[in-house]
Amino acid sequence: VAAHWLGDRQVGPALLAYGSEEQKAFFLPRTARGEITFCIAMSEPAAGSDLAALRTVAIEDGHEWVIRGQKVWTSFAHQAQYCYVVARTDAAAPKHKGISEFVVDMRTPGITVRPLIDMLGEHHFNEVFFDDVRVPASALIGQKNRGWYQIASQLDFERGGI
């Protein structure tokens, strides 16, 4: 149930608002039926609670994006089939601009998930490493470099859902 919550309360609304028709057709019915799960790759070790300080990058390369970076506190990454990834797509842009969102298949080569074990020996959180992860251009959610604004509305659903 907790793993499904991420798709239902966070990724689903983001795709409804900003996703392509292809993304909506593929992800939304499967999410509603509980057939797929997501993890959210926002937080980073050096950024603290400042999402705009993220260092993970996504670089356009023809009809693909190449994602490089590290995320932390990624709930259920060890079980999720897809990941909602926030990355910087314009390094020259001001801090709150030049950020984009992607939906990434967790089976993509270059993704490494390392467990973070809590004090009780439980495993819910993970570090996720993106080492030259190639995703198709169609993985971009919404508009390139408009991620900060899209994320702000997506987080409303997360907070409201709680």
Side-chain angles (χ1 to χ4, degrees), residues 4 9 14 24 50 60 70 72 96 99 122-123 133 156:
H4 180 66
R9 295 288 183 248
K24 291 176 188 178
D50 183 3
E60 275 185 288
Q70 177 186 359
V72 70
H96 291 87
I99 296 172
E122 299 291 326
H123 173 208
V133 174
D156 284 344

Side-chain angles (χ1 to χ4, degrees), residues 7-146:
D8 180 52
R9 295 288 183 248
Q10 291 182 256
V11 181
L15 291 172
L16 275 171
Y18 304 107
S20 68
E21 292 306 313
E22 293 80 16
Q23 289 170 338
K24 291 176 188 178
F26 181 83
F27 290 108
L28 295 179
R30 288 169 177 83
T31 301
R33 291 191 301 261
E35 295 173 355
I36 59 175
T37 55
F38 290 90
C39 59
I40 308 291
M42 285 189 188
S43 299
E44 295 191 4
S49 62
D50 183 3
L51 177 60
L54 63 88
R55 295 182 183 170
T56 296
V57 297
I59 301 164
E60 275 185 288
D61 184 19
H63 296 290
E64 293 182 312
W65 289 92
V66 180
I67 302 174
R68 295 182 189 118
Q70 177 186 359
K71 300 294 183 174
V72 70
W73 309 121
T74 308
S75 302
F76 303 107
H78 58 295
Q79 298 172 330
Q81 295 157 302
Y82 294 92
C83 187
Y84 169 93
V85 179
V86 179
R88 184 155 306 281
T89 46
D90 184 351
K95 185 175 176 179
H96 291 87
K97 298 180 191 262
I99 296 172
S100 298
E101 303 167 289
F102 299 87
V103 62
V104 177
D105 187 322
M106 288 296 287
R107 298 169 297 183
T108 306
I111 297 175
T112 302
V113 177
R114 185 183 307 159
L116 293 172
I117 307 301
D118 66 23
M119 291 174 61
L120 298 174
E122 299 291 326
H123 173 208
H124 306 286
F125 299 113
N126 304 273
E127 290 179 287
V128 181
F129 299 87
F130 298 89
D131 297 307
D132 292 328
V133 174
R134 291 190 165 274
V135 299
S138 61
L140 177 69
I141 300 172
Q143 295 179 12
K144 175 183 165 185
N145 297 329
R146 295 283 302 163

